[in-house]
Amino acid sequence: MNINCVICSEFFNASAEVFATKCGHVFHYPCLINWIERSKTCPQCRHKTTEQSIHRIFFNIQNIDGNSDMGAMLNKIDNLEYQNRMLDKDVKNYKEKNSSLKKQNDLLRQEVRSVEASLKAYEMTIISLKEQISYFKSKSKESEKLTTEIVNLKNTIKNMENAHIAINGTRDQVNEMLRNEADVESLAIYGAMLKKALIETESKKKEVDHALKKSQSEASRYRKEVHNLETTYTQIKRELEHLKISTDNEKQYLRSKISELNDKLTARNSNHDNTSLKRVAQESPVNYTKTPKLTKLKESDIPASDKPDVESPYLQLKSNVGIGYGQFLNAKYISSKDLPKEGASKLKTSAKTDILQTNKQSNVCYNGLGGSSKDDVFPSPKSSQTSTSKRKKITCTKNKFKRLAPSASACTKSSDISEMFVSLSG
Amino acid sequence: MAGMSPSERRLQKELMSLVKEPPPGVSVDPDIAERNLLHWIIDIRGAAGTLYEGERFQLQFKFSNKYPFDSPEVTFVGQNIPVHPHVYSNGHICLSILTDDWSPALSVQSVCLSIMSMLSSCKEKQRPPDNAFYVKTCNKNPKKTKWWYHDDSV
């Protein structure tokens, strides 16, 4: 018989305090008391029950082969079942946990694998980066070398620039540069460069001195020439004046003679023309002996200027005018010098033809003062004569004049002077 | 079962008997109950031949550590609250054995059977007449409600 308390649902065992109500329901004493404190009723049939109305009951329990306490046994079984259930539950929980942990483990393994893979990749990148770093380090070393080289080159450039200033710059610039420059080495470089430049300039100076001496000597020579030429020029001028005076006198004389003759003509017949003319020629005061003197003078004078005094250190005149004049003089000399060599006969004809030609070409003749004037025409008795007959007559008179004054040197001289002035005016 | 309080031991026994030999139409979720012995969820099915045939309801039992001397707090929970004159729309049940007429001789199983009989004896599905007012004003705990058990027929 298995009897239990409905309140706690525990089986009654031998030691249990079992109480019964009036209505006959049995409970554990603490369970029943606990309920009666709340409600004075029987828990099973709600019959009125008080603490006084309940009473203890006793069971006669027979111990048969250890099966004596069935209630305790049943309670034990219940407990064991419960424990078993709890253990089952634990097992189930642990299994679940295990499976979840396994899953987690797998995930972690995968993660580990991926991390290892990424680690390898990182290691590879680290190695490559290290290589790059070493490469860049070498590059940086090279660049450092280059920068130091650049600095050195810049210094040398600066030194060179300073040296340039030292050579070409003003005194202030050089002073400033030297003040700023403290380096002894660079200063030594400047000194060496300056010395070099000095030597060069000295050699140049020598050359220039030499050239100067040369040009000075040339200048003195030219000055001397100029001096000579001036003296000759004044002499010639004087002579020309003299000649002019003499010719003027002659002219006056001739005019007076002509007027005389004209007077006579008017008085007499024209038959006496030739004799009077002869007389005029004979009585002419023109001094032809002077002309050879002039040529002589010229010949002695010009050779002196032809050989210039190179050694003369006094002449400082140096100009193109001097040189040009000298050349002109040389040319003049040659032209006048060549003429006497050709012989007197030749000269005579050439001079004659020259004068004739000039007269034929134009009636202009040089007056000896650098100017020119129309040829004086002798007054003709017949104004009705043609120009051609007039010219013929003039040539005739000229030829006569030649015959009257046969000196070749006179002609030579006059032609010479006229030539000279042509070239001068030209 | 050593070291357990009398109320826990009784609840454990009740749970085991309910899991082992459940009455027809009643099933307990052992996992929820075992996690916390003082809070049970019990599924009940509407009995055949009644208004609630084929319907499934969930009952929530909350026990105090004075159980079985204190009555459990029993309410309908979940999506389906049975439409019944003694069941409010918030799940509270107007049943005398859950408050005044509680006895320690009653158990979870007997309470479930009482509720099933209550549902089965219903002749018309309808809410209590003061449902709207009660739902607005009542305490969360149905045991705090002073019930007036006027209709004994159901």
Side-chain angles (χ1 to χ4, degrees), chain A residues 181-376:
Chain A
E181 190 62 64
D183 193 12
V184 180
E185 219 172 282
S186 53
L187 283 171
I189 290 162
Y190 304 154
M193 291 202 68
L194 282 167
K195 204 176 175 186
K196 212 175 176 182
L198 192 72
I199 289 158
E200 276 177 21
T201 45
E202 272 177 0
S203 63
K204 271 185 193 172
K205 196 190 162 192
K206 273 179 189 170
E207 278 175 27
V208 169
D209 278 350
H210 190 66
L212 187 72
K213 270 182 188 170
K214 227 178 179 177
S215 55
Q216 271 179 352
S217 64
E218 263 177 43
S220 64
R221 198 184 67 196
Y222 288 136
R223 207 176 159 183
K224 206 174 177 184
E225 272 177 34
V226 166
H227 186 70
N228 289 338
L229 284 168
E230 273 175 357
T231 52
T232 50
Y233 176 69
T234 47
Q235 278 177 2
I236 287 159
K237 211 176 171 184
R238 222 176 290 147
E239 277 174 30
L240 272 170
E241 276 168 10
H242 193 73
L243 275 168
K244 203 187 170 188
I245 290 157
S246 63
T247 44
D248 281 349
N249 289 338
E250 198 183 351
K251 220 189 233 173
Q252 275 178 357
Y253 176 73
L254 284 168
R255 270 181 188 166
S256 63
K257 277 282 173 189
I258 286 159
S259 59
E260 226 174 88
L261 285 167
N262 278 341
D263 290 343
K264 277 178 185 175
L265 263 168
T266 48
R268 296 174 203 176
N269 285 332
S270 60
N271 291 342
H272 301 285
D273 263 0
N274 277 339
T275 53
S276 64
L277 203 66
K278 264 183 186 175
R279 236 176 71 193
V280 168
Q282 276 170 347
E283 284 171 10
S284 169
V286 179
N287 192 8
Y288 289 104
T289 51
K290 273 181 184 175
T291 46
K293 261 184 192 172
L294 183 73
T295 45
K296 242 184 188 173
L297 213 160
K298 249 191 163 178
E299 276 173 6
S300 65
D301 215 26
I302 289 161
S305 65
D306 190 38
K307 290 166 190 170
D309 188 12
V310 183
E311 305 287 277
S312 170
Y314 303 107
L315 277 178
Q316 287 173 350
L317 207 152
K318 98 177 174 187
S319 67
N320 286 333
V321 179
I323 292 158
Y325 197 40
Q327 280 169 345
F328 156 69
L329 280 176
N330 286 345
K332 184 91 259 106
Y333 175 65
I334 287 156
S335 63
S336 60
K337 194 183 170 186
D338 284 346
L339 285 168
K341 276 183 186 171
E342 304 248 330
S345 60
K346 207 182 177 182
L347 264 172
K348 251 188 236 172
T349 51
S350 70
K352 266 184 221 169
T353 48
D354 269 359
I355 290 160
L356 282 171
Q357 274 167 1
T358 48
N359 284 340
K360 267 176 194 169
Q361 277 162 10
S362 65
N363 286 333
V364 176
C365 70
Y366 302 101
N367 58 11
L369 290 166
S372 62
S373 63
K374 287 272 181 178
D375 198 11
D376 284 335

Side-chain angles (χ1 to χ4, degrees), chain A residues 46-64:
Chain A
R46 299 186 203 274
H47 194 271
K48 194 181 175 184
T49 309
T50 59
E51 209 177 332
Q52 284 77 36
S53 67
I54 58 166
H55 54 88
R56 188 171 179 178
I57 56 167
F58 299 91
F59 302 113
N60 283 328
I61 297 157
Q62 226 176 359
N63 286 333
I64 308 161

Side-chain angles (χ1 to χ4, degrees), chain A residues 6-11 30-31 34-35 38 42-44 46 75 78-79 81-83 85 89 92, chain B residues 1 4 9-10 12-13 16 19-20 30-31 34-35 66 68-70 97 101-106:
Chain A
V6 290
I7 293 171
C8 66
S9 67
E10 299 279 341
F11 291 101
C31 298
N34 210 332
W35 177 247
R38 291 163 177 264
C42 172
Q44 268 184 317
R46 299 186 203 274
N75 278 339
D78 280 349
N79 286 348
E81 270 182 357
Y82 177 73
Q83 278 181 359
R85 198 178 161 76
K89 210 175 106 185
K92 201 181 162 188
Chain B
M1 274 206 180
M4 286 175 90
R9 279 160 76 160
R10 178 169 157 168
Q12 190 63 53
K13 279 177 188 271
M16 281 174 72
V19 169
K20 267 187 201 169
D31 287 338
E34 276 176 13
R35 213 174 293 143
K66 282 169 185 166
F69 304 107
D70 263 358
I97 59 162
D101 292 342
W102 170 254
S103 148
L106 292 168

Side-chain angles (χ1 to χ4, degrees), chain A residues 1-110:
Chain A
M1 194 171 73
N2 295 324
I3 306 153
N4 73 346
C5 166
V6 290
I7 293 171
C8 66
S9 67
E10 299 279 341
F11 291 101
F12 295 119
N13 56 24
S15 60
E17 263 187 277
V18 181
F19 273 70
T21 58
K22 265 190 186 171
C23 51
H25 296 109
V26 290
F27 310 95
H28 284 119
Y29 177 72
C31 298
L32 186 60
I33 285 297
N34 210 332
W35 177 247
I36 284 169
E37 279 173 7
R38 291 163 177 264
S39 172
K40 310 284 186 200
T41 56
C42 172
Q44 268 184 317
C45 67
R46 299 186 203 274
H47 194 271
K48 194 181 175 184
T49 309
T50 59
E51 209 177 332
Q52 284 77 36
S53 67
I54 58 166
H55 54 88
R56 188 171 179 178
I57 56 167
F58 299 91
F59 302 113
N60 283 328
I61 297 157
Q62 226 176 359
N63 286 333
I64 308 161
D65 302 333
N67 250 355
S68 55
D69 199 347
M70 271 294 280
M73 293 296 281
L74 283 169
N75 278 339
K76 245 185 195 173
I77 287 163
D78 280 349
N79 286 348
L80 286 169
E81 270 182 357
Y82 177 73
Q83 278 181 359
N84 194 24
R85 198 178 161 76
M86 292 299 284
L87 284 170
D88 280 350
K89 210 175 106 185
D90 281 354
V91 166
K92 201 181 162 188
N93 284 343
Y94 287 135
K95 273 183 181 171
E96 276 176 10
K97 260 192 190 173
N98 192 23
S99 65
S100 72
L101 284 171
K102 268 185 181 173
K103 277 180 189 170
Q104 217 178 334
N105 197 16
D106 285 348
L107 285 171
L108 286 169
R109 266 169 209 273
Q110 278 183 3

Side-chain angles (χ1 to χ4, degrees), chain A residues 258 262 265 377-386 390 393-394:
Chain A
I258 286 159
N262 278 341
L265 263 168
V377 179
F378 282 106
S380 60
K382 285 169 189 175
S383 58
S384 62
Q385 257 185 319
T386 55
K390 224 184 205 173
K393 206 175 185 180
I394 289 159

